Amino acid sequence: MPDSQVDIALETLLPLMTGRPFLVLTGAGISTSSGIPDYRDSAGVRRGKPPMMIQEFLGSPQARRRYWARAMLGWPRVRQARPNAAHQALAQLQARQHLSGLITQNVDTLHEQAGSQDVIELHGSLHKVLCLDCGARLERDAVQLELETRNAYLLQVEATQAPDGDTLLETHFESDFQVPRCPHCQGERLKPDVVFFGENVAPLTASRALACAEQAQGLLVVGSSLMAYSAFRLCKRVVERGKPLIAINLGKTRADELLDFKFEASCEHLLPLLAERLG
């Protein structure tokens, strides 16, 4: 982003956010510099193969085997990811009371790792696993240890990283794969504690996010195409209440026609400058 465009963005954001805490909504674009791929290109078109739908995951043991084989190889890279300058800037802005709240579509916990508090994880967290049989919640690291013990043949396999801890793994690696079991009930229906495609956001989470949007003085969208309705509806609610809606995003968003301002900028570049200027 040219320096002149950075100056324009800062000249716009500074007066709007001075003494007026904004709600922030983040998407995959804020985490790409931390090594976690996003789902869509600059035109908002989904990359690669369609993601697994919740109906497929729940209805097919083969689908769950495919999911966990790919996730076994993808998890270490998610686990090793670290917050970048954009995550850190938002944590600073929140600590200085320039933000009224932080909502993320991401499942990587990088905001919490950067120091942000009370983050609403709209789509859950990959760091937790839920047993669909007994309701137990497990740590993802513990599940990973079992996966690697039972499927040591995959440890030397290279697979291309995909969004949300997935990988592009050739299907012939899946035939001998052993899915993880719940240590409490020995059930084999373990699911990452995230919202799959085709699944609804948890009602309590959705209501908390909507309440934040209704009370916000404005909404700043960072690194999201807003193609998921769970995020887009928050933008609509802010606009309905006559509050400013601004986006920092490289490419098209679903809310382009609703935005008051949009900056096609690197959030890693712009947000630290914003945090510095707001002080």
Side-chain angles (χ1 to χ4, degrees):
M1 189 178 184
D3 288 344
S4 60
Q5 292 299 304
V6 171
D7 292 339
I8 292 170
L10 291 172
E11 288 172 6
T12 303
L13 291 168
L14 287 170
L16 281 172
M17 296 182 68
T18 298
R20 190 182 194 183
F22 266 47
L23 175 66
V24 171
L25 169 66
T26 68
I30 197 172
S31 293
T32 54
S33 294
S34 295
I36 299 177
D38 56 4
Y39 272 106
R40 300 179 187 274
D41 62 20
S42 60
V45 177
R46 187 180 295 158
R47 295 188 177 96
K49 296 181 179 179
M52 185 174 293
M53 304 294 288
I54 185 61
Q55 295 83 357
E56 182 184 8
F57 183 87
L58 295 177
S60 168
Q62 292 79 10
R64 292 193 291 276
R65 185 163 60 241
R66 182 166 72 254
Y67 173 84
W68 283 113
R70 300 186 322 202
M72 173 184 153
L73 298 183
W75 170 249
R77 299 169 203 176
V78 174
R79 186 70 179 82
Q80 293 163 12
R82 293 294 177 263
N84 60 52
H87 297 103
Q88 293 163 354
L90 289 178
Q92 293 169 8
L93 286 166
Q94 185 186 44
R96 297 168 187 165
Q97 300 184 332
H98 293 301
L99 304 185
S100 62
L102 178 57
I103 302 171
T104 186
Q105 297 172 263
N106 299 338
V107 294
D108 51 35
T109 75
L110 292 181
H111 285 299
E112 290 89 343
Q113 292 179 46
S116 292
Q117 303 294 314
D118 299 319
V119 180
I120 297 177
E121 294 176 318
L122 204 58
H123 297 155
S125 168
L126 278 177
H127 289 247
K128 300 291 183 180
V129 175
L130 173 66
C131 176
L132 298 176
D133 293 320
C134 73
R137 292 185 182 275
L138 313 172
E139 293 294 329
R140 180 64 177 83
D141 280 339
V143 173
Q144 183 70 13
L145 182 60
E146 181 189 355
L147 286 170
E148 293 180 356
T149 300
R150 300 183 71 186
N151 302 284
Y153 74 96
L154 276 183
L155 290 174
Q156 303 305 317
V157 174
E158 291 291 331
T160 301
Q161 190 80 4
D164 292 345
D166 196 6
T167 53
L168 305 180
L169 180 66
E170 295 181 21
T171 56
H172 70 266
F173 286 114
E174 301 167 10
S175 59
D176 295 325
F177 189 82
Q178 300 295 310
V179 299
R181 290 179 178 270
C182 175
H184 302 282
C185 71
Q186 294 303 305
E188 294 186 348
R189 296 199 312 146
L190 296 184
K191 172 185 174 292
D193 197 10
V194 300
V195 178
F196 273 57
F197 281 80
E199 187 176 12
N200 293 325
V201 173
L204 180 59
T205 301
S207 63
R208 285 183 63 207
L210 200 58
C212 287
E214 290 174 345
Q215 298 164 11
Q217 294 296 306
L219 176 60
L220 177 63
V221 176
V222 178
S224 175
S225 65
L226 300 168
M227 295 302 175
Y229 187 73
S230 56
F232 179 63
R233 73 192 296 238
L234 302 178
C235 298
K236 290 179 64 179
R237 186 57 57 93
V238 166
V239 171
E240 288 167 358
R241 299 182 71 83
K243 303 299 183 180
L245 176 64
I246 303 169
I248 302 170
N249 190 66
L250 296 172
K252 178 181 178 180
T253 83
R254 186 176 181 176
D256 279 352
E257 295 182 357
L258 302 178
L259 294 171
D260 293 291
F261 302 100
K262 177 181 175 182
F263 305 107
E264 297 212 25
S266 162
C267 53
E268 268 196 287
H269 186 189
L270 181 53
L271 287 178
L273 291 173
L274 179 65
E276 179 183 347
R277 299 287 180 87
L278 282 173

